[in-house]
Amino acid sequence: MTIALEPTFGTGLAGITLRRAAGRILLTVARSLAIFVPVFLVATFVTFALRALSGLTPAHSQLGEDATPEAVARIEHEWGLDQPFLVQYWHWLGDVLRGDLGRSWTNGVDVSTLIAEGLAISLSIATLAMILGVVFGFAFGALAALRRGTWIDRSITAVLTLFSIMPPFVIGILLVEVFAVGLGWFPSGGYVPFSVGISPWFSHLLLPALALSFDAIADVARQLRAGLVGAYSENYVTGAVVRGLSRRRIFLRHVLPNGVGPALAVLGLKFPVIIGASVVTEWIFGLQGFGRFANDAAQAGDVPEVQGVLVVSIVLVVSFNLIVNLVLGRITPAAHRGV
């Protein structure tokens, strides 16, 4: 009887654990959506209202400033700009939800296509920059916490402070001068698609990604060190030491899961910063990415392109923060308790 019941008990316990984990994930997604939906609606409404406030129309882009009122009215009718504002917004929002960001006023090309071309470059750079930020940030932060109060800790803190005050464009210029022009190890600019090969694709991305990663490395390392040092002072760590657990097990099983929360949380703030900082970095490395596209669209006064950039930026930021929240809720015990 006992032997027959043991598998059933194990299966039931595993099922309860899975249901609880799924419930936490669904709760995190529901909370994120509850924030995302109103933020998205307000942001898109403000974004769309900027066109009406700016007074810009496609007639000015296509016909110039000397266009006749009749020609302007004809162009605005073709683009549906003679309809009431709320009707225009409703139609535009419906198109956005279907993935249609409209057409460029400058050349009539689909905005979604134009953004996708630049987004592939910028997301590749931003993803690699975030990976570098996580790897080196966690390495520096963990080492500083494990050697807290020593010269190693103080040296890492000094290096991280230097990282945090250096603008990405300055770092980019230095990287080009040293590793591209001086040593010739990497190309100084340009972009090669992944389909050409992993090696040339990676070599063109590494320097701009490294230039954008320094600030992420500094912030992740500082937050991780603070979290780990705080975790080391908790009573459960003292109890683990008294029980004779090894330093490695104490760090991996008790300190790291409870101290990693601030470092993961800061990653959600770093992603939009990296996307924003990519504008200047892409100019330095000759990349026609998402940031440079946004800058060109704003300078040209191409409202559909600007609106498309803002919508995509909102979706990217919210999606990345959702991923961070899911990881944070899965890893950190404090998040499970709602602390």
Side-chain angles (χ1 to χ4, degrees):
M1 178 68 68
T2 303
I3 297 176
L5 288 176
E6 284 181 354
T8 304
F9 175 78
T11 303
L13 183 60
I16 293 174
T17 303
L18 288 175
R19 285 194 295 271
R20 288 179 177 175
R24 288 195 297 267
I25 293 175
L26 291 176
L27 181 60
T28 302
V29 173
R31 288 175 176 174
S32 300
L33 290 177
I35 298 174
F36 168 72
V37 172
V39 168
F40 181 78
L41 291 176
V42 172
T44 53
F45 183 83
V46 172
T47 298
F48 190 81
L50 291 177
R51 186 206 63 79
L53 295 175
S54 67
L56 296 174
T57 66
H60 294 142
S61 301
Q62 299 177 13
L63 304 177
E65 297 294 336
D66 298 330
T68 62
E70 293 78 11
V72 171
R74 177 176 54 81
I75 295 295
E76 290 184 350
H77 177 73
E78 292 177 359
W79 288 84
L81 300 181
D82 55 348
Q83 298 178 349
F85 172 79
L86 292 179
V87 174
Q88 296 181 45
Y89 171 71
W90 181 254
H91 290 163
W92 176 79
L93 181 62
D95 292 338
V96 167
L97 295 177
R98 291 191 296 269
D100 182 6
L101 298 177
R103 292 180 292 118
S104 169
W105 284 356
T106 306
N107 49 33
V109 179
D110 184 63
V111 174
S112 301
T113 303
L114 296 174
I115 290 180
E117 294 174 355
L119 197 60
I121 300 174
S122 294
L123 282 183
S124 299
I125 298 174
T127 301
L128 182 55
M130 292 298 294
I131 293 175
L132 293 173
V134 170
V135 172
F136 288 102
F138 270 66
F140 283 137
L143 182 59
L146 292 172
R147 298 292 186 267
R148 57 193 179 279
T150 65
W151 67 270
I152 296 178
D153 183 17
R154 291 190 293 270
S155 299
I156 291 177
T157 301
V159 172
L160 295 178
T161 302
L162 180 63
F163 281 5
S164 63
I165 64 176
M166 294 183 65
F169 71 90
V170 174
I171 300 174
I173 293 173
L174 292 176
L175 292 176
V176 170
E177 289 292 332
V178 175
F179 294 102
V181 178
L183 299 176
W185 291 354
F186 298 97
S188 60
Y191 175 75
V192 173
F194 183 80
S195 57
V196 175
I198 297 178
S199 179
W201 172 79
F202 182 78
S203 64
H204 282 78
L205 291 181
L206 183 58
L207 291 186
L210 190 59
L212 291 172
S213 69
F214 274 45
D215 186 54
I217 292 173
D219 279 354
V220 170
R222 283 198 297 258
Q223 294 296 329
L224 181 63
R225 180 196 178 280
L228 295 180
V229 170
Y232 267 115
S233 64
E234 296 292 339
N235 292 332
Y236 55 79
V237 175
T238 304
V241 174
V242 172
R243 292 197 306 271
L245 299 181
S246 65
R247 294 182 60 184
R248 179 181 179 184
R249 184 173 182 181
I250 292 174
F251 177 77
L252 294 177
R253 295 292 299 274
H254 299 284
V255 176
L256 184 60
N258 288 281
V260 75
L264 291 178
V266 79
L267 288 176
L269 303 176
K270 290 284 92 182
F271 185 74
V273 173
I274 288 177
I275 293 294
S278 66
V279 177
V280 179
T281 305
E282 289 172 2
W283 274 100
I284 294 174
F285 290 93
L287 301 171
Q288 190 63 45
F290 181 70
R292 190 169 175 180
F293 172 80
N295 179 74
D296 294 343
Q299 290 187 346
D302 198 319
V303 174
E305 291 184 357
V306 174
Q307 291 173 337
V309 166
L310 293 175
V311 169
V312 172
S313 299
I314 295 168
V315 173
L316 287 176
V317 171
V318 173
S319 299
F320 187 80
N321 276 275
L322 174 60
I323 295 173
V324 171
N325 289 336
L326 290 174
V327 174
L328 190 63
R330 185 70 181 91
I331 293 179
T332 58
H336 296 172
R337 298 191 301 266
V339 177

